[in-house]
Amino acid sequence: MTDTLCRDSAARPFYTRVIAGSSALVGHWLLLGQADPDRLAMILADTARLAKLGDPDGTPDGATLTAWSGDAAPPRWAARTALFLLVQMPARPTPRDTDEACAWAYCWLRNRDFPSLEAARDALPAHLQAPLHEVLEDAWQDHHGQRLI
């Protein structure tokens, strides 16, 4: 991936790419999860609670999960949990485009505390080292920056 994929620019700042990629990240879980959408939504919510990745108000249904993988932006807990689950899959999925890679990197840093960018990179599974190498730096800068939302 090149240096310009997620770097702040006038057209597509990093966080904008994360928001766009979060739907793709949840969609990746929907695509690769081996169950119907209702069950995958339940697994996502239950895992978020158990792994302390968020506190969903309720358990979404399959239609909601499908909407989150399309035009409706998913809540942060859903994207974080989708990454958590995808990273553990034996199929070793990787982001399918640069926006999704930005979302993966953003969620990676929010799922665990890392003392440094190097520690965050070193903790990545081997199959994610190359796809997230550069965008993880952008995520690190975003995570430690002064962005106001």
Side-chain angles (χ1 to χ4, degrees):
M1 293 190 186
T2 66
D3 217 17
T4 58
L5 293 180
C6 290
R7 296 259 184 242
D8 287 349
S9 68
R12 302 280 316 262
F14 175 77
Y15 193 71
T16 301
R17 306 233 36 194
V18 168
I19 298 302
S22 292
S23 290
L25 175 53
V26 171
H28 212 142
W29 164 244
L30 185 60
L31 176 70
L32 296 179
Q34 296 184 351
D36 65 81
D38 284 328
R39 178 107 170 104
L40 292 174
M42 182 186 69
I43 292 168
L44 196 69
D46 287 349
T47 302
R49 291 179 191 105
L50 290 170
K52 298 185 182 350
L53 298 172
D55 193 18
D57 292 335
T59 300
D61 59 16
T64 301
L65 183 62
T66 301
W68 289 345
S69 70
D71 293 334
R76 242 183 243 176
W77 68 262
R80 290 178 62 193
T81 307
L83 176 71
F84 178 83
L85 291 165
L86 287 168
V87 166
Q88 296 180 55
M89 287 185 146
R92 300 181 344 175
T94 58
R96 297 169 290 178
D97 62 34
T98 56
D99 286 352
E100 188 178 345
C102 291
W104 283 52
Y106 177 90
C107 291
W108 180 255
L109 293 180
R110 277 146 187 85
N111 283 355
R112 294 176 46 193
D113 285 327
F114 297 101
S116 67
L117 173 60
E118 294 73 26
R121 280 189 177 136
D122 290 345
L124 283 168
H127 71 283
L128 293 175
Q129 294 279 331
L132 297 184
H133 184 82
E134 290 184 27
V135 296
L136 197 60
E137 183 176 343
D138 296 329
W140 183 265
Q141 290 173 1
D142 179 83
H143 186 58
H144 295 283
Q146 299 293 323
R147 178 176 39 84
L148 299 174
I149 32 180

